[in-house]
Amino acid sequence: MVSMVTEEFDEKMRNIPNYEANGHVKQSEPQRSGPSKSASDNSQSHFEHPMSLDEFRSRAHEAVDFICDYYSRVDSLPVRSSVEPGFLHKQLPTEAPQQGEKWDVIMKDVEDKIVPGLTHWQSSNFFAYYPCNSSFPGMLGEMLCAGFATQNFSWIGSPAATELETIVMDWLGKLLGLPQQFLSRDSEGSLGPGGGVIQGTASEAALVCMLAARARIMQGRPTTDMANLVAYTSDQAHSSCKKATMIAGITNLRVLKTKESAAWALQADTLQQAIEQDLQAGLIPFYVFATAGTTSTATVDDLRGLATVSKPHNIWVHVDAAYAGATAVIPSMRHWFDGVELTDSFSFNPHKWLLTNFDCAALWVTDSAPLKTALSLTPSFLQAKGNALDYKDWQIPLGRRFRALKVWFVLRTYGQEGLQKYLEHHLRLAKLFQGFVEADDRFEIMAPPRFGLICFALKGVGKAGNAAFLDAINSSGKVFMIHTEVGGKFMLRFALGSTYVQQHHVEAAWAVIQSKADAVMAQEANLM
């Protein structure tokens, strides 16, 4: 069919001077009379790119060398950038260059102007936020993704991209021990209602699941009921839940209080009480955003209890395990996710703690129908073979990258055993650091240690003293951490998970922490 269309098109175009069909140029017949034409009228259109294939091959080798050199020295660089806002504006022109520049000049600017403004997330001395993993197999997957440059909104857009994603998400789901209903195919290979999809971030996963929950609860209801929908989460949940309600137009969000006595985890009885109150007020509960590994302290909500309370009311329960979810690779860690089989969706970020370069958020649903109800839109120009498999109907944007490649590369290069050993290594380092803190009576553990996160503080110096303590640590350039506040208590967070961190990095970080503690304690003593 394609060849017939091409031949018909070529036939129509043969009357156009210098039309090139199948690599052959048809020369114009000389004009016998009439006004003369300029040379440009008969010339072929041609554009010469500034970088040829051969030069790209050479420059790509140089770029890999640059990356390898960066990784060989990144641990010696100050972890946190010390530049001030607006630093780059002062160094770069206000407009793009009129003429193209030499590649060597561009790369010199990368080294001189860009690298100093980076916070080095891949440094083994990075213990802030949660990790943003990278690995060499993941990078190679990104390289091929960029090289293929496919647009994978539909199955026909690149069948391999869609089908590899389905396969890889089932691999990953089985690796985590997820229940069968979250997988796309059953043991006999038949497609089921559930399945996995790669989103950009856990925030996107939270939003699309909220939209799916809204579509499910609104079936058969008048549109006026939209104003009465109510969602629930905890005061420890990620802000992405609040942002999802803003985007989805949900005006009722219950941010439920957690207690220190429950390690700041959301409990079923708290949710039950809120649901009952809202039902009595004529509202329609429809969505619960539960967390397995909160940002502040890595606590885990009562997943089983929350799901049990929600089910009688057809409330969608979404589990955000952005950081901690990776640890389900280790069978002995799966108790943290007890009850996930009762929930509707589960997501975690391989780009946080499973060696897959950003962006890559894995999302599974037990039933994709509400997701498609909320998000499916197939105009005539997108109607094609395989539409039932299109991942465009599982996400907000139309376009999508070939992100499954890098996950595939990571899973095949490390294997299940390699990934388990990688995470076990980090968990051992977290225990090591916890032991350091507990052995020094100047410090106290501020929240129960979970996964690779230890929250601690200096005793007796208050919020101001601990803030100064953290600033001194980060100003050294040798370690980077951040703080949080829970229940009115200021605490420092030490988050393990950087790709190449080893025991000696943790020991060196502890030495810096101790030395800065000495200085802060001495200053406090002088003030007394």
Side-chain angles (χ1 to χ4, degrees):
M1 180 67 181
V2 174
S3 61
M4 292 174 60
V5 173
T6 303
E7 290 169 6
E8 181 182 351
F9 182 76
D10 285 345
E11 187 63 34
K12 291 180 179 179
M13 298 293 285
R14 291 187 197 284
N15 294 325
I16 299 177
N18 296 330
Y19 169 66
E20 182 174 335
N22 297 324
H24 300 287
V25 177
K26 178 191 175 194
Q27 298 296 332
S28 306
E29 294 182 2
Q31 296 290 328
R32 295 178 180 174
S33 61
S36 62
K37 293 185 176 182
S38 66
S40 62
D41 289 336
N42 290 327
S43 63
Q44 290 184 348
S45 177
H46 180 75
F47 177 78
E48 193 73 32
H49 288 276
M51 184 177 288
S52 67
L53 185 61
D54 287 338
E55 185 182 358
F56 171 72
R57 187 188 304 273
S58 173
R59 296 301 189 182
H61 281 290
E62 291 177 7
V64 171
D65 285 342
F66 180 90
I67 292 169
C68 291
D69 290 343
Y70 171 75
Y71 271 77
S72 69
R73 66 189 175 101
V74 67
D75 287 352
S76 66
L77 300 174
V79 189
R80 186 184 67 175
S81 176
S82 59
V83 300
E84 295 296 325
F87 84 102
L88 200 56
H89 177 74
K90 301 173 183 177
Q91 300 183 65
L92 296 182
T94 56
E95 297 180 357
Q98 193 66 33
Q99 303 295 326
E101 298 176 317
K102 296 295 183 182
W103 191 252
D104 289 334
V105 174
I106 298 171
M107 285 305 295
K108 188 174 187 308
D109 277 350
V110 171
E111 181 64 53
D112 296 345
K113 298 172 183 176
I114 301 302
V115 173
L118 295 178
T119 289
H120 301 289
W121 286 70
Q122 301 313 313
S123 170
S124 297
N125 304 310
F126 184 99
F127 302 101
Y129 308 106
Y130 278 135
C132 186
N133 270 190
S134 172
S135 68
F136 299 136
M139 287 185 210
L140 293 175
E142 281 284 4
M143 187 182 295
L144 286 187
C145 175
F148 289 144
T150 55
Q151 186 53 268
N152 311 300
F153 43 75
S154 63
W155 179 87
I156 199 64
S158 273
T162 295
E163 298 202 7
L164 182 63
E165 184 162 337
T166 303
I167 291 167
V168 160
M169 289 301 292
D170 274 3
W171 280 16
L172 194 53
K174 292 175 182 177
L175 183 60
L176 298 178
L178 290 181
Q180 176 63 46
Q181 64 262 32
F182 283 104
L183 307 182
S184 65
R185 293 188 183 272
D186 60 25
S187 58
E188 297 178 355
S190 300
L191 283 171
V197 59
I198 300 176
Q199 303 283 342
T201 65
S203 300
E204 293 171 47
L207 173 59
V208 298
C209 289
M210 182 175 288
L211 296 174
R214 187 182 69 181
R216 187 174 75 177
I217 203 73
M218 286 297 295
Q219 269 192 320
R221 294 178 180 270
T223 55
T224 52
D225 277 356
M226 278 274 293
N228 294 324
L229 298 183
V230 56
Y232 304 88
T233 192
S234 87
D235 57 5
Q236 298 302 305
H238 194 270
S239 58
S240 59
C241 181
K242 171 64 174 176
K243 182 173 282 190
T245 62
M246 293 163 62
I247 297 170
I250 304 301
T251 55
N252 302 305
L253 174 64
R254 300 286 180 263
V255 180
L256 305 176
K257 296 291 185 182
T258 57
K259 301 176 182 178
E260 186 173 9
S261 60
W264 308 111
L266 181 58
Q267 300 299 301
D269 58 347
T270 303
L271 176 63
Q272 176 75 60
Q273 184 178 10
I275 290 173
E276 290 174 355
Q277 290 174 350
D278 287 334
L279 287 171
Q280 290 173 7
L283 297 178
I284 305 169
F286 84 106
Y287 179 82
V288 170
F289 181 94
T291 310
T294 58
T295 302
S296 283
T297 63
T299 198
V300 178
D301 291 338
D302 176 13
L303 304 182
R304 179 172 295 280
L306 299 179
T308 301
V309 165
S310 300
K311 268 206 175 301
H313 307 287
N314 196 28
I315 300 172
W316 185 293
V317 179
H318 173 67
V319 179
D320 174 27
Y323 166 67
T327 62
V329 167
I330 304 169
S332 63
M333 295 294 289
R334 291 177 187 164
H335 65 93
W336 289 112
F337 310 100
D338 175 59
V340 71
E341 69 276 9
L342 303 177
T343 66
D344 297 280
S345 53
F346 178 89
S347 71
F348 91 103
N349 292 343
H351 66 235
K352 270 190 169 65
W353 205 6
L354 207 64
L355 296 163
T356 306
N357 297 57
F358 188 87
D359 56 352
C360 183
L363 168 66
W364 290 268
V365 294
T366 59
D367 184 4
S368 63
L371 207 59
K372 294 177 181 179
T373 299
L375 299 169
S376 180
L377 190 64
T378 306
S380 59
F381 58 83
L382 291 179
Q383 293 171 7
K385 182 194 300 182
N387 274 152
L389 304 173
D390 293 354
Y391 275 124
K392 67 177 176 57
D393 300 330
W394 296 51
Q395 63 175 29
I396 300 297
L398 173 64
R400 59 195 334 269
R401 302 171 62 240
F402 196 174
R403 288 178 289 218
L405 263 181
K406 56 189 174 185
V407 184
W408 194 45
F409 282 11
V410 168
L411 293 178
R412 294 185 66 183
T413 304
Y414 285 86
Q416 296 186 37
E417 290 183 2
L419 294 173
Q420 288 168 350
K421 290 177 180 177
Y422 170 73
L423 289 161
E424 288 167 346
H425 164 64
H426 285 163
L427 295 177
R428 286 194 299 271
L429 293 182
K431 283 290 186 183
L432 175 71
F433 186 84
Q434 179 185 342
F436 289 159
V437 175
E438 291 175 339
D440 190 327
D441 61 9
R442 295 177 300 173
F443 298 96
E444 60 181 322
I445 299 288
M446 300 297 289
R450 299 275 191 270
F451 309 105
L453 180 67
I454 297 90
C455 297
F456 68 105
L458 269 175
K459 295 177 182 177
V461 299
K463 177 177 178 178
N466 273 291
F469 175 43
L470 178 61
D471 184 61
I473 293 168
N474 290 335
S475 296
S476 73
K478 298 177 181 179
V479 180
F480 181 34
M481 297 188 301
I482 65 166
H483 79 280
T484 190
E485 290 189 53
V486 182
K489 297 179 180 179
F490 185 100
M491 59 193 79
L492 284 65
R493 297 171 71 262
F494 191 86
L496 267 299
S498 293
T499 303
Y500 300 105
V501 66
Q502 299 292 348
Q503 181 167 330
H504 67 87
H505 296 113
V506 175
E507 292 170 342
W510 179 243
V512 172
I513 290 168
Q514 283 188 305
S515 69
K516 301 306 177 183
D518 291 339
V520 170
M521 297 296 279
Q523 185 175 8
E524 287 288 323
N526 290 334
L527 294 175
M528 293 176 66

PDB file of all heavy atoms in Angstrom, residues 20-43:
ATOM      1  N   GLU A  20      13.307  14.791  -7.421  1.00  0.00           N
ATOM      2  CA  GLU A  20      14.149  13.619  -7.233  1.00  0.00           C
ATOM      3  C   GLU A  20      13.287  12.459  -6.763  1.00  0.00           C
ATOM      4  O   GLU A  20      12.706  12.501  -5.681  1.00  0.00           O
ATOM      5  CB  GLU A  20      15.235  13.911  -6.183  1.00  0.00           C
ATOM      6  CG  GLU A  20      16.199  12.747  -5.965  1.00  0.00           C
ATOM      7  CD  GLU A  20      17.327  13.115  -5.033  1.00  0.00           C
ATOM      8  OE1 GLU A  20      17.633  14.309  -4.937  1.00  0.00           O
ATOM      9  OE2 GLU A  20      17.894  12.215  -4.403  1.00  0.00           O
ATOM     10  N   ALA A  21      13.138  11.432  -7.597  1.00  0.00           N
ATOM     11  CA  ALA A  21      12.366  10.237  -7.258  1.00  0.00           C
ATOM     12  C   ALA A  21      13.283   9.034  -7.255  1.00  0.00           C
ATOM     13  O   ALA A  21      13.972   8.775  -8.240  1.00  0.00           O
ATOM     14  CB  ALA A  21      11.237  10.033  -8.270  1.00  0.00           C
ATOM     15  N   ASN A  22      13.285   8.308  -6.122  1.00  0.00           N
ATOM     16  CA  ASN A  22      14.124   7.114  -5.996  1.00  0.00           C
ATOM     17  C   ASN A  22      15.594   7.404  -6.296  1.00  0.00           C
ATOM     18  O   ASN A  22      16.306   6.593  -6.885  1.00  0.00           O
ATOM     19  CB  ASN A  22      13.620   6.012  -6.937  1.00  0.00           C
ATOM     20  CG  ASN A  22      12.220   5.574  -6.578  1.00  0.00           C
ATOM     21  OD1 ASN A  22      11.876   5.525  -5.408  1.00  0.00           O
ATOM     22  ND2 ASN A  22      11.394   5.285  -7.575  1.00  0.00           N
ATOM     23  N   GLY A  23      16.011   8.591  -5.938  1.00  0.00           N
ATOM     24  CA  GLY A  23      17.426   8.922  -6.078  1.00  0.00           C
ATOM     25  C   GLY A  23      17.820   9.438  -7.445  1.00  0.00           C
ATOM     26  O   GLY A  23      18.986   9.729  -7.688  1.00  0.00           O
ATOM     27  N   HIS A  24      16.885   9.569  -8.361  1.00  0.00           N
ATOM     28  CA  HIS A  24      17.209  10.036  -9.715  1.00  0.00           C
ATOM     29  C   HIS A  24      16.644  11.422  -9.934  1.00  0.00           C
ATOM     30  O   HIS A  24      15.511  11.711  -9.567  1.00  0.00           O
ATOM     31  CB  HIS A  24      16.640   9.069 -10.762  1.00  0.00           C
ATOM     32  CG  HIS A  24      17.177   7.681 -10.619  1.00  0.00           C
ATOM     33  ND1 HIS A  24      18.463   7.345 -10.958  1.00  0.00           N
ATOM     34  CD2 HIS A  24      16.597   6.547 -10.145  1.00  0.00           C
ATOM     35  CE1 HIS A  24      18.666   6.056 -10.716  1.00  0.00           C
ATOM     36  NE2 HIS A  24      17.541   5.552 -10.214  1.00  0.00           N
ATOM     37  N   VAL A  25      17.395  12.271 -10.555  1.00  0.00           N
ATOM     38  CA  VAL A  25      16.970  13.642 -10.794  1.00  0.00           C
ATOM     39  C   VAL A  25      16.515  13.788 -12.235  1.00  0.00           C
ATOM     40  O   VAL A  25      17.233  13.420 -13.168  1.00  0.00           O
ATOM     41  CB  VAL A  25      18.122  14.631 -10.515  1.00  0.00           C
ATOM     42  CG1 VAL A  25      17.678  16.038 -10.836  1.00  0.00           C
ATOM     43  CG2 VAL A  25      18.552  14.529  -9.066  1.00  0.00           C
ATOM     44  N   LYS A  26      15.323  14.297 -12.409  1.00  0.00           N
ATOM     45  CA  LYS A  26      14.823  14.577 -13.747  1.00  0.00           C
ATOM     46  C   LYS A  26      15.197  16.001 -14.117  1.00  0.00           C
ATOM     47  O   LYS A  26      14.808  16.943 -13.453  1.00  0.00           O
ATOM     48  CB  LYS A  26      13.306  14.403 -13.795  1.00  0.00           C
ATOM     49  CG  LYS A  26      12.733  14.721 -15.169  1.00  0.00           C
ATOM     50  CD  LYS A  26      11.228  14.803 -15.122  1.00  0.00           C
ATOM     51  CE  LYS A  26      10.722  15.251 -16.495  1.00  0.00           C
ATOM     52  NZ  LYS A  26       9.338  15.663 -16.442  1.00  0.00           N
ATOM     53  N   GLN A  27      15.962  16.147 -15.161  1.00  0.00           N
ATOM     54  CA  GLN A  27      16.407  17.471 -15.573  1.00  0.00           C
ATOM     55  C   GLN A  27      15.289  18.202 -16.314  1.00  0.00           C
ATOM     56  O   GLN A  27      14.501  17.600 -17.051  1.00  0.00           O
ATOM     57  CB  GLN A  27      17.629  17.350 -16.486  1.00  0.00           C
ATOM     58  CG  GLN A  27      18.828  16.703 -15.798  1.00  0.00           C
ATOM     59  CD  GLN A  27      19.333  17.547 -14.641  1.00  0.00           C
ATOM     60  OE1 GLN A  27      19.191  18.758 -14.645  1.00  0.00           O
ATOM     61  NE2 GLN A  27      19.917  16.879 -13.653  1.00  0.00           N
ATOM     62  N   SER A  28      15.203  19.474 -16.132  1.00  0.00           N
ATOM     63  CA  SER A  28      14.205  20.288 -16.817  1.00  0.00           C
ATOM     64  C   SER A  28      14.561  20.416 -18.292  1.00  0.00           C
ATOM     65  O   SER A  28      15.745  20.454 -18.663  1.00  0.00           O
ATOM     66  CB  SER A  28      14.143  21.691 -16.208  1.00  0.00           C
ATOM     67  OG  SER A  28      13.936  21.593 -14.832  1.00  0.00           O
ATOM     68  N   GLU A  29      13.511  20.490 -19.077  1.00  0.00           N
ATOM     69  CA  GLU A  29      13.764  20.756 -20.492  1.00  0.00           C
ATOM     70  C   GLU A  29      14.080  22.229 -20.651  1.00  0.00           C
ATOM     71  O   GLU A  29      13.546  23.078 -19.957  1.00  0.00           O
ATOM     72  CB  GLU A  29      12.516  20.404 -21.301  1.00  0.00           C
ATOM     73  CG  GLU A  29      12.217  18.909 -21.283  1.00  0.00           C
ATOM     74  CD  GLU A  29      11.013  18.598 -22.143  1.00  0.00           C
ATOM     75  OE1 GLU A  29      10.463  19.534 -22.755  1.00  0.00           O
ATOM     76  OE2 GLU A  29      10.618  17.420 -22.177  1.00  0.00           O
ATOM     77  N   PRO A  30      14.963  22.561 -21.584  1.00  0.00           N
ATOM     78  CA  PRO A  30      15.312  23.974 -21.782  1.00  0.00           C
ATOM     79  C   PRO A  30      14.098  24.782 -22.235  1.00  0.00           C
ATOM     80  O   PRO A  30      13.251  24.292 -22.986  1.00  0.00           O
ATOM     81  CB  PRO A  30      16.387  23.929 -22.858  1.00  0.00           C
ATOM     82  CG  PRO A  30      16.180  22.616 -23.543  1.00  0.00           C
ATOM     83  CD  PRO A  30      15.665  21.682 -22.516  1.00  0.00           C
ATOM     84  N   GLN A  31      14.022  26.006 -21.780  1.00  0.00           N
ATOM     85  CA  GLN A  31      12.920  26.891 -22.159  1.00  0.00           C
ATOM     86  C   GLN A  31      13.137  27.375 -23.589  1.00  0.00           C
ATOM     87  O   GLN A  31      14.231  27.794 -23.966  1.00  0.00           O
ATOM     88  CB  GLN A  31      12.864  28.093 -21.193  1.00  0.00           C
ATOM     89  CG  GLN A  31      12.560  27.700 -19.755  1.00  0.00           C
ATOM     90  CD  GLN A  31      11.141  27.218 -19.589  1.00  0.00           C
ATOM     91  OE1 GLN A  31      10.233  27.689 -20.298  1.00  0.00           O
ATOM     92  NE2 GLN A  31      10.925  26.281 -18.681  1.00  0.00           N
ATOM     93  N   ARG A  32      12.069  27.305 -24.413  1.00  0.00           N
ATOM     94  CA  ARG A  32      12.184  27.723 -25.813  1.00  0.00           C
ATOM     95  C   ARG A  32      11.879  29.196 -25.985  1.00  0.00           C
ATOM     96  O   ARG A  32      12.342  29.823 -26.920  1.00  0.00           O
ATOM     97  CB  ARG A  32      11.224  26.894 -26.675  1.00  0.00           C
ATOM     98  CG  ARG A  32      11.614  25.423 -26.693  1.00  0.00           C
ATOM     99  CD  ARG A  32      10.626  24.612 -27.502  1.00  0.00           C
ATOM    100  NE  ARG A  32      11.001  23.202 -27.522  1.00  0.00           N
ATOM    101  CZ  ARG A  32      10.242  22.242 -28.055  1.00  0.00           C
ATOM    102  NH1 ARG A  32       9.071  22.543 -28.579  1.00  0.00           N
ATOM    103  NH2 ARG A  32      10.650  20.991 -28.031  1.00  0.00           N
ATOM    104  N   SER A  33      11.051  29.724 -25.091  1.00  0.00           N
ATOM    105  CA  SER A  33      10.717  31.142 -25.217  1.00  0.00           C
ATOM    106  C   SER A  33      10.289  31.660 -23.864  1.00  0.00           C
ATOM    107  O   SER A  33      10.128  30.894 -22.918  1.00  0.00           O
ATOM    108  CB  SER A  33       9.593  31.347 -26.244  1.00  0.00           C
ATOM    109  OG  SER A  33       8.439  30.665 -25.801  1.00  0.00           O
ATOM    110  N   GLY A  34      10.026  32.945 -23.796  1.00  0.00           N
ATOM    111  CA  GLY A  34       9.580  33.530 -22.544  1.00  0.00           C
ATOM    112  C   GLY A  34      10.742  34.112 -21.777  1.00  0.00           C
ATOM    113  O   GLY A  34      11.917  33.971 -22.157  1.00  0.00           O
ATOM    114  N   PRO A  35      10.427  34.769 -20.639  1.00  0.00           N
ATOM    115  CA  PRO A  35      11.477  35.426 -19.844  1.00  0.00           C
ATOM    116  C   PRO A  35      12.424  34.402 -19.222  1.00  0.00           C
ATOM    117  O   PRO A  35      12.031  33.280 -18.931  1.00  0.00           O
ATOM    118  CB  PRO A  35      10.691  36.191 -18.788  1.00  0.00           C
ATOM    119  CG  PRO A  35       9.382  35.462 -18.670  1.00  0.00           C
ATOM    120  CD  PRO A  35       9.086  34.957 -20.047  1.00  0.00           C
ATOM    121  N   SER A  36      13.640  34.786 -19.014  1.00  0.00           N
ATOM    122  CA  SER A  36      14.633  33.897 -18.410  1.00  0.00           C
ATOM    123  C   SER A  36      14.345  33.742 -16.927  1.00  0.00           C
ATOM    124  O   SER A  36      13.760  34.622 -16.303  1.00  0.00           O
ATOM    125  CB  SER A  36      16.037  34.464 -18.620  1.00  0.00           C
ATOM    126  OG  SER A  36      16.131  35.710 -17.975  1.00  0.00           O
ATOM    127  N   LYS A  37      14.750  32.603 -16.352  1.00  0.00           N
ATOM    128  CA  LYS A  37      14.552  32.329 -14.936  1.00  0.00           C
ATOM    129  C   LYS A  37      15.881  32.433 -14.199  1.00  0.00           C
ATOM    130  O   LYS A  37      16.931  32.135 -14.755  1.00  0.00           O
ATOM    131  CB  LYS A  37      13.969  30.935 -14.723  1.00  0.00           C
ATOM    132  CG  LYS A  37      12.547  30.798 -15.258  1.00  0.00           C
ATOM    133  CD  LYS A  37      11.979  29.444 -14.904  1.00  0.00           C
ATOM    134  CE  LYS A  37      10.530  29.333 -15.347  1.00  0.00           C
ATOM    135  NZ  LYS A  37       9.961  28.018 -14.955  1.00  0.00           N
ATOM    136  N   SER A  38      15.798  32.802 -12.945  1.00  0.00           N
ATOM    137  CA  SER A  38      17.024  32.878 -12.148  1.00  0.00           C
ATOM    138  C   SER A  38      17.514  31.473 -11.827  1.00  0.00           C
ATOM    139  O   SER A  38      16.769  30.501 -11.915  1.00  0.00           O
ATOM    140  CB  SER A  38      16.752  33.645 -10.852  1.00  0.00           C
ATOM    141  OG  SER A  38      15.850  32.913 -10.051  1.00  0.00           O
ATOM    142  N   ALA A  39      18.766  31.395 -11.423  1.00  0.00           N
ATOM    143  CA  ALA A  39      19.358  30.088 -11.101  1.00  0.00           C
ATOM    144  C   ALA A  39      18.632  29.420  -9.948  1.00  0.00           C
ATOM    145  O   ALA A  39      18.504  28.199  -9.893  1.00  0.00           O
ATOM    146  CB  ALA A  39      20.839  30.264 -10.762  1.00  0.00           C
ATOM    147  N   SER A  40      18.120  30.242  -9.056  1.00  0.00           N
ATOM    148  CA  SER A  40      17.474  29.667  -7.881  1.00  0.00           C
ATOM    149  C   SER A  40      16.177  28.950  -8.224  1.00  0.00           C
ATOM    150  O   SER A  40      15.740  28.062  -7.516  1.00  0.00           O
ATOM    151  CB  SER A  40      17.208  30.749  -6.834  1.00  0.00           C
ATOM    152  OG  SER A  40      16.330  31.718  -7.380  1.00  0.00           O
ATOM    153  N   ASP A  41      15.552  29.323  -9.358  1.00  0.00           N
ATOM    154  CA  ASP A  41      14.303  28.673  -9.739  1.00  0.00           C
ATOM    155  C   ASP A  41      14.508  27.205 -10.083  1.00  0.00           C
ATOM    156  O   ASP A  41      13.618  26.389  -9.922  1.00  0.00           O
ATOM    157  CB  ASP A  41      13.676  29.386 -10.938  1.00  0.00           C
ATOM    158  CG  ASP A  41      13.136  30.740 -10.549  1.00  0.00           C
ATOM    159  OD1 ASP A  41      12.822  30.933  -9.348  1.00  0.00           O
ATOM    160  OD2 ASP A  41      13.043  31.601 -11.431  1.00  0.00           O
ATOM    161  N   ASN A  42      15.681  26.860 -10.609  1.00  0.00           N
ATOM    162  CA  ASN A  42      15.934  25.500 -11.060  1.00  0.00           C
ATOM    163  C   ASN A  42      16.835  24.710 -10.119  1.00  0.00           C
ATOM    164  O   ASN A  42      17.134  23.552 -10.384  1.00  0.00           O
ATOM    165  CB  ASN A  42      16.582  25.521 -12.453  1.00  0.00           C
ATOM    166  CG  ASN A  42      15.587  25.982 -13.503  1.00  0.00           C
ATOM    167  OD1 ASN A  42      14.408  25.721 -13.387  1.00  0.00           O
ATOM    168  ND2 ASN A  42      16.079  26.689 -14.520  1.00  0.00           N
ATOM    169  N   SER A  43      17.283  25.311  -9.046  1.00  0.00           N
ATOM    170  CA  SER A  43      18.218  24.621  -8.144  1.00  0.00           C
ATOM    171  C   SER A  43      17.458  23.728  -7.168  1.00  0.00           C
ATOM    172  O   SER A  43      16.323  24.009  -6.815  1.00  0.00           O
ATOM    173  CB  SER A  43      19.059  25.629  -7.371  1.00  0.00           C
ATOM    174  OG  SER A  43      18.220  26.409  -6.546  1.00  0.00           O
TER     175      SER A  43
END
